[in-house]
Amino acid sequence: MAELRKALEGLPLWLKIILALPGIDGIIWGLYRICKGTLPNVILGIVWIIAGTCVTWILDIIFLAWKGAVFEL
């Protein structure tokens, strides 16, 4: 699990933004949050998998452009 997080963190910003597009965001960044292992992030990851294709992908793109990392607790 730690390898997945490190691999996603090591990607260039443009590729992270592509992975945050609708449909892909829920799966990729939802698993990323679950891999962190803390209870709030696991819950957030599960919600992200369900809602990532509809609305939450917008938050990820905003946070990637602003901070260079996806939204997490």
Side-chain angles (χ1 to χ4, degrees), residues 1 17 25 36 40-41 46 57:
M1 294 259 194
I17 291 174
D25 179 69
K36 184 154 186 179
N41 277 318
I46 292 169
W57 63 273

Side-chain angles (χ1 to χ4, degrees), residues 25-70:
D25 179 69
I27 298 167
I28 300 297
W29 296 115
L31 289 174
Y32 174 81
R33 289 173 177 90
I34 291 171
C35 289
K36 184 154 186 179
T38 62
L39 183 61
N41 277 318
V42 169
I43 293 170
L44 185 63
I46 292 169
V47 169
W48 225 264
I49 289 173
I50 296 167
T53 58
C54 302
V55 179
T56 56
W57 63 273
I58 297 168
L59 289 173
D60 274 343
I61 290 178
I62 290 170
F63 273 86
L64 281 168
W66 180 39
K67 294 182 3 179
V70 294

